Amino acid sequence: MPSALVELRPNKKLLDHEFEGYKINLQSLAQYNLKLTTTADRLYPDEVQYSFVHAKLFALHNHLIFDVWDHQYNFYYIDNHQQVINVTFDNINNSFQTAVVYEIPQHVERKPGHFNLCLTFPSIYLAIISDGAGFLHIVDTGTRNRPATDKQPWNTIHSSLALGEGKYFTVVDSRMQKKCNVDILHCLLQSVEQNDNHFDTVLSWLSFEFIENKWQQFAKRVVKGKGIVHYAAFETQCHALYVASDNMFKFTFDTVKNILPPQQPEQKPIIYTWLQTADDITVTLKLEDNFDKKLLFVNVTPLSIKICYAGKEFVSGKLKNKVDSELTTWNIQENGQVDILITKSDSDMWNELIEGGDQNGKEILDPSLVKEIHQRLAHLCSETEVMSDQPLTSLTSQELEECDAASEEDTVLARLDATNHEITHRIPLSVHHYLFSLKLETHEAPALVLRHDVDACVWQPFTQPFNSDSWPIKHYGTLMAFGYVQSSKTNRKFITCPPNFSYSVVCEAKKHIFIYKCAAQETQLRRRTAGVMKTVKVGQQHVINIDMFGEVLGVHATNEYLFILTEKNLLAICI
């Protein structure tokens, strides 16, 4: 079954074509600083992890984890002692509280080749932790909506070598659901495999069930593809995976249901051919040996055709366009070949003989018609160089911007159905460049932020409705002119925005943070060439210097504050 193509159509009410850009605001924003007693644990790729897939996994790993199930400012990071540190920010007193809530069991000593530690929250009482060395821990956190100093210690309730000995991974997504009063936990793990001259990204879908007061793995699915993955997440009911990548991914392993090879559609034999000119159509078919002319039946009306022999139907249906049926003739040769000549009412070319198509017939191109078409198009191409006295002008590389460069590969967002192991829907992202993902709803997949012209649109995918072939994806909001702005920041490391889309952030690794407030304000600007004042809508841009705090390791944006985790500090910037 071919996959359906989904078109993204932004909501025009969420776009503002009068927005002109951002004007720098020199007013400083309030900052609150927590000096870390222990630094965040961080690994670098070794000499074996040299691919672009590895580089992205290590360089863009966000070490600052926000608890989406908690309405307080509760953040987490894992320090270099493999302890989960909880930091609570009190926005009333503008103060911080810190506490160690969990110590990761050290089954294997950390070494180059491992991945960074990961922490996700699939529910209000569970956490999933990967130690980067192959072990996956399911942790009971208890109630987390309390300040850091008032939390109970976390307890490990399940540990296992998730993918086997020597296979390391990061946690991409996790989700809880209940089936038949049994808790089901799904974990999506990402690893990298080298095959010949390229690296494959492997997405392992592990499913656990809580039976007899313990977690047991009951299913494993594997999705594999070449190159990097920009986005991967579970569908709400865990019936499918959403994967955005530059190459197509497919299911390669499933313990729940065998993966069947794709079935090739049955090819029906061609029993007639048709050839056309601008004025007429010739239908050709072959009769059996020792044929009887009296058994041939030909009926052509202005809008239909029917050709039968001895009760066998060769051609039948409504014609694509109108014909002059009175001029229809046919000829039967001694070898059984029948040629039916049909005269068109209008001199035009048909794209099909029978309306809606007919798999029993095939069109044959007229050689004289092909030659005529080539002659008509000859002026568009030439084998000789055209000389000109005038020099040809072209844009230099300095005049081109990064957003003008054509992508070598087309990114596609695909929905991979877990039931039939097929790609049911595809969304081409070659025009809508992927920027980042954003968690808006606790029970939904993360939203995607895609470039649309100069703007950035936030798209929220939803689960496929019951008894429907559609895949609903809704345009939730727009970051004005952010698509163009972020493309000019070549040193960007993290880009993000809050759930209410009131501002957007471009964060460099070591020097600056650029904050763009989208609230449009009318201001007077003078046009340099004419000296005329013009009223335009602009937003506010703030630039914050962070080189004194060390390299940025994580970032999270809330509606009121921007939190930045660096090597030495945790910053809260009041927006």
Side-chain angles (χ1 to χ4, degrees), residues 446-462:
L448 297 93
V449 182
L450 309 175
R451 178 169 179 174
H452 174 74
D453 198 9
V454 298
D455 299 326
C457 296
V458 183
W459 299 89
Q460 176 63 60
F462 293 96

Side-chain angles (χ1 to χ4, degrees), residues 292-403:
D292 186 355
K293 296 181 180 180
K294 298 179 181 180
L295 298 179
L296 178 65
F297 174 79
V298 178
N299 181 27
V300 178
T301 68
L303 292 176
S304 66
I305 183 174
K306 186 172 184 179
I307 304 174
C308 301
Y309 176 79
K312 178 182 178 182
E313 194 173 84
F314 283 86
V315 188
S316 179
K318 182 180 179 181
L319 292 170
K320 179 64 177 178
N321 291 310
K322 192 174 181 180
V323 299
D324 191 345
S325 58
E326 295 182 356
L327 300 179
T328 301
T329 61
W330 62 88
N331 178 47
I332 304 178
Q333 301 180 19
E334 294 182 357
N335 61 357
Q337 178 176 316
V338 181
D339 298 311
I340 300 100
L341 181 65
I342 305 172
T343 303
K344 298 179 180 178
S345 296
D346 300 320
S347 297
D348 55 2
M349 303 302 292
W350 296 12
N351 59 357
E352 56 188 6
L353 177 65
I354 304 299
E355 190 174 49
D358 186 5
Q359 295 182 353
N360 295 325
K362 179 181 179 181
E363 181 184 8
I364 298 177
L365 296 179
D366 186 359
S368 61
L369 179 62
V370 174
K371 183 178 179 180
E372 181 183 352
I373 294 174
H374 286 173
Q375 291 175 351
R376 291 182 180 181
L377 299 178
H379 68 284
L380 299 178
C381 58
S382 176
E383 296 181 357
T384 59
E385 182 179 0
V386 178
M387 304 301 295
S388 175
D389 296 335
Q390 299 294 329
L392 299 177
T393 59
S394 61
L395 294 175
T396 65
S397 59
Q398 288 77 13
E399 294 175 293
L400 292 174
E401 299 187 21
E402 181 182 348
C403 55

Side-chain angles (χ1 to χ4, degrees), residues 75 160 181 193 218 256 266 459 488 571:
F75 294 88
S160 62
N181 294 325
E193 289 184 359
F218 70 93
V256 179
E266 184 179 354
W459 299 89
S488 64
L571 302 178

Side-chain angles (χ1 to χ4, degrees), residues 22-308:
Y22 294 93
K23 184 179 180 181
I24 193 165
N25 189 333
L26 300 179
Q27 182 179 0
S28 61
L29 300 176
Q31 301 180 25
Y32 307 101
N33 180 14
L34 171 67
K35 188 172 181 59
L36 304 179
T37 56
T38 57
T39 59
D41 182 82
R42 183 186 184 187
L43 287 184
Y44 297 90
D46 65 356
E47 65 275 4
V48 181
Q49 300 167 319
Y50 58 85
S51 70
F52 181 59
V53 183
H54 290 102
K56 183 177 179 181
L57 282 176
F58 281 90
L60 301 184
H61 182 82
N62 195 341
H63 295 263
L64 183 62
I65 300 100
F66 177 69
D67 189 357
V68 295
W69 301 89
D70 191 355
H71 299 291
Q72 301 184 37
Y73 295 112
N74 267 318
F75 294 88
Y76 300 85
Y77 74 94
I78 302 175
D79 68 3
N80 51 5
H81 301 299
Q82 298 194 33
Q83 300 178 127
V84 178
I85 308 297
N86 178 205
V87 180
T88 303
F89 177 69
D90 185 353
N91 61 329
I92 299 177
N93 300 320
N94 298 322
S95 59
F96 295 89
Q97 298 180 19
T98 62
V100 177
V101 294
Y102 182 70
E103 292 189 8
I104 299 175
Q106 295 186 7
H107 296 277
V108 181
E109 183 181 355
R110 302 277 282 165
K111 64 180 181 180
H114 290 173
F115 284 106
N116 284 299
L117 294 101
C118 297
L119 168 64
T120 63
F121 297 106
S123 70
I124 58 175
Y125 64 90
L126 282 184
I128 303 297
I129 297 178
S130 162
D131 66 354
F135 277 89
L136 185 72
H137 306 289
I138 303 176
V139 180
D140 181 9
T141 63
T143 304
R144 298 195 302 268
N145 58 350
R146 299 176 181 175
T149 54
D150 194 25
K151 276 189 173 64
Q152 65 183 36
W154 298 356
N155 299 314
T156 305
I157 54 180
H158 176 84
S159 294
S160 62
L161 272 172
L163 303 181
E165 189 71 32
K167 294 186 177 181
Y168 314 132
F169 57 86
T170 61
V171 181
V172 179
D173 195 13
S174 59
R175 183 172 293 273
M176 279 278 294
Q177 62 177 171
K178 187 178 286 290
K179 285 186 177 181
C180 301
N181 294 325
V182 176
D183 289 333
I184 306 295
L185 173 63
H186 300 277
C187 299
L188 188 61
L189 314 180
Q190 180 177 354
S191 57
V192 182
E193 289 184 359
Q194 184 174 6
N195 290 320
D196 298 331
N197 297 325
H198 67 272
F199 286 85
D200 288 336
T201 296
V202 181
L203 298 175
S204 300
W205 178 350
L206 306 185
S207 300
F208 300 84
E209 57 185 358
F210 192 69
I211 297 180
E212 297 179 355
N213 294 324
K214 63 180 180 180
W215 288 99
Q216 299 177 358
Q217 180 179 333
F218 70 93
K220 179 181 180 181
R221 302 177 177 93
V222 177
V223 175
K224 185 182 295 187
K226 180 182 176 182
I228 63 174
V229 170
H230 302 284
Y231 170 94
F234 288 119
E235 196 174 57
T236 306
Q237 301 299 327
C238 295
H239 294 153
L241 279 182
Y242 303 153
V243 179
S245 61
D246 298 331
N247 298 278
M248 281 300 179
F249 278 61
K250 64 179 181 180
F251 281 94
T252 60
F253 180 78
D254 190 350
T255 60
V256 179
K257 184 178 180 181
N258 293 331
I259 301 177
L260 301 177
Q263 297 181 353
Q264 298 296 333
E266 184 179 354
Q267 297 290 339
K268 291 187 176 181
I270 302 299
I271 61 176
Y272 74 90
T273 60
W274 62 284
L275 181 147
Q276 67 171 323
T277 65
D279 300 318
D280 53 53
I281 293 176
T282 302
V283 179
T284 301
L285 50 94
K286 187 73 165 43
L287 300 179
E288 59 187 20
D289 296 336
N290 301 321
F291 61 89
D292 186 355
K293 296 181 180 180
K294 298 179 181 180
L295 298 179
L296 178 65
F297 174 79
V298 178
N299 181 27
V300 178
T301 68
L303 292 176
S304 66
I305 183 174
K306 186 172 184 179
I307 304 174
C308 301

